[in-house]
Amino acid sequence: MSTVDDADRVDLDAVVTEFQGHMSLMFTRARSLWRESAAMVHPDLQPSGYKLLTHIARVGSSNAHQLAECFEMDKSAISRQVRMLEDAGLIESRPDESDGRLRVLTATAAARDLLATVRNHHSNRIRTAISGLTPDEMRVASMVFSRLAEI
């Protein structure tokens, strides 16, 4: 009986190793997509600035302190990216009504339009890549991504 258990364990180890390899490739591809997406929004936009911009647009507004916590980035790096985003006309900054020391950051209408174009471009690529999957396979994949997001 232990040989079956050992064989199952070896099979599982091989599957997990293969899975980790695919995840590594996916993360490498994600970094490339962030660079590509940033360039589609603005030629001088860095991937980290693109991630900040998409977050701000998704949540509606944020401030530099919240961004630093969310992305685990140094406040000076956040400040540089925020300045670039403002200079490029991609975000607007106004004083926080409840705490004048803070600045509320919001995406401009132009930024939201550019992000929608990028999102549509990526959605089409994703749809093409997953076109052969069944709805059940998609639900399983979604569940796996959900679990991985929690670790």
Side-chain angles (χ1 to χ4, degrees):
M1 194 74 175
S2 67
T3 57
V4 172
D5 291 338
D6 289 344
D8 287 345
R9 185 182 51 74
V10 169
D11 287 345
L12 179 60
D13 288 347
V15 169
V16 168
T17 298
E18 181 180 11
F19 184 81
Q20 287 174 319
H22 288 296
M23 281 183 51
S24 178
L25 289 172
M26 188 176 68
F27 291 137
T28 299
R29 184 66 185 129
R31 285 190 295 275
S32 295
L33 286 173
W34 285 325
R35 262 192 312 278
E36 177 186 313
S37 300
M40 289 173 71
V41 171
H42 190 280
D44 297 328
L45 185 59
Q46 297 293 314
S48 58
Y50 174 77
K51 289 185 267 186
L52 296 178
L53 177 61
T54 57
H55 176 79
I56 293 166
R58 186 176 64 252
V59 300
S61 67
S62 191
N63 64 50
H65 178 74
Q66 291 167 332
L67 293 172
E69 282 185 1
C70 179
F71 290 94
E72 299 179 356
M73 290 174 64
D74 183 74
K75 288 181 185 177
S76 63
I78 295 287
S79 294
R80 283 190 300 276
Q81 292 301 319
V82 165
R83 193 172 326 109
M84 187 276 159
L85 291 167
E86 283 184 285
D87 291 347
L90 298 170
I91 63 169
E92 296 170 336
S93 172
R94 70 179 191 295
D96 186 321
E97 294 174 5
S98 62
D99 185 347
R101 298 170 298 170
L102 297 176
R103 305 288 298 171
V104 176
L105 308 171
T106 56
T108 63
R112 288 190 304 274
D113 290 344
L114 289 165
L115 291 173
T117 299
V118 172
R119 193 171 34 257
N120 288 336
H121 175 74
H122 291 316
S123 291
N124 290 335
R125 290 169 77 171
I126 289 170
R127 287 178 192 276
T128 299
I130 64 172
S131 64
L133 298 178
T134 67
D136 284 341
E137 290 170 325
M138 287 302 304
R139 280 189 276 284
V140 169
S142 181
M143 180 196 62
V144 169
F145 284 124
S146 176
R147 286 187 183 180
L148 290 172
E150 294 175 7
I151 60 173

